[in-house]
Amino acid sequence: IFMFLAVASFGQEPSRIEWNAAGVTAVVYNADFPESEALAKYYAGKRLIPATELIPLRCSKEEAISRESFDETIRRPLLARLSPHTKVVVLMHGVPIKITRRNDKPKPSQEDDASVDSEIVSVRMKEAPLAGSRQNPYFDKKIPFDQFQEADGMILVGRLDAASPQTVRRMIDDAITVEHNGLRGRAVLDLALKPGAYQEGDDWLRQTALI
């Protein structure tokens, strides 16, 4: 997670102190899921995140939860535990992924289901209506997140998750190995080869291959 937070100065830009990402990161885990706590502690140790920034939540082990359950077991307890200086939250394997919709047949663009991750991004921001989407104020900004001041309270959210705790541990170790030794390997891009909305996605993937 810290790779995309790295900051450097080039050209005529004034020098600046590199952002200490570990010092502004909180790791959130499911206290009712032993593997979640073990992974959180392992990750924090590898990334030098203070033990005081590990936040246990007693929440469901299911991937999908109701809005009420999210508010009661995740949103409110997290707000009570977050440090004022926290800018990054890492959700660990075991924390629910999805908030289910209240209305089974909402009008277009009025859905109120969401990912847990995206809701935590704005958990300290001014509340917005649940129905519909919310624009990401940091999208396409060309400055490091620690200099971004247009959305007070916004949090960067990442997640370490996979089908098994063993895979998550490997993800942690592999990322550190790549940071020290570089990345070598093969990537496979799966094109839809369909017209309409699929075309734009295929164009992105082709551009990725060229880059």
Side-chain angles (χ1 to χ4, degrees):
I1 185 171
F2 293 101
M3 293 177 68
F4 74 89
L5 298 175
V7 177
S9 297
F10 300 95
Q12 302 302 314
E13 295 182 5
S15 61
R16 62 185 299 272
I17 299 175
E18 184 175 344
W19 184 19
N20 175 23
V24 295
T25 298
V27 183
V28 176
Y29 65 91
N30 189 341
D32 291 330
F33 195 167
E35 294 91 343
S36 185
E37 179 177 3
L39 288 169
K41 291 179 177 178
Y42 184 74
Y43 177 72
K46 290 290 185 178
R47 291 301 190 180
L48 305 180
I49 298 170
T52 54
E53 297 305 313
L54 270 65
I55 300 178
L57 299 179
R58 294 196 174 280
C59 49
S60 173
K61 297 179 183 178
E62 299 296 325
E63 289 190 352
I65 58 175
S66 67
R67 175 66 62 174
E68 290 74 18
S69 179
F70 169 75
D71 287 340
E72 181 180 348
T73 65
I74 296 180
R75 186 180 68 83
R76 287 197 288 266
L78 182 59
L79 275 172
R81 292 289 304 273
L82 279 178
S83 300
H85 64 265
T86 300
K87 293 182 177 292
V88 181
V89 166
V90 179
L91 301 176
M92 195 55 61
H93 174 72
V95 175
I97 295 173
K98 179 181 179 181
I99 303 168
T100 57
R101 62 179 55 173
R102 289 172 171 170
N103 186 351
D104 290 337
K105 297 180 180 180
K107 295 180 180 180
S109 301
Q110 291 297 306
E111 297 89 349
D112 61 3
D113 51 333
S115 73
V116 169
D117 306 41
S118 64
E119 293 296 279
I120 292 177
V121 167
S122 58
V123 74
R124 290 193 306 199
M125 297 170 64
K126 183 179 179 181
E127 288 192 29
L130 291 180
S133 61
R134 181 175 191 173
Q135 184 176 359
N136 180 355
Y138 189 55
F139 176 72
D140 206 29
K141 292 296 187 292
K142 308 301 182 184
I143 60 174
F145 188 71
D146 63 323
Q147 295 182 348
F148 179 65
Q149 299 180 350
E150 297 176 27
D152 186 41
M154 185 178 179
I155 298 172
L156 283 183
V157 178
R159 178 181 287 268
L160 281 166
D161 212 339
S164 70
Q166 293 77 17
T167 302
V168 176
R169 186 176 290 254
R170 179 182 168 186
M171 291 165 61
I172 296 169
D173 292 338
D174 285 354
I176 294 173
T177 299
V178 167
E179 290 166 15
H180 285 90
N181 302 326
L183 178 63
R184 299 291 183 272
R186 177 171 299 195
V188 178
L189 303 178
D190 185 10
L191 301 180
L193 299 179
K194 296 179 181 180
Y198 292 97
Q199 182 62 50
E200 184 178 17
D202 280 359
D203 291 343
W204 291 343
L205 291 175
R206 288 191 176 95
Q207 184 63 27
T208 298
L210 292 174
I211 292 173

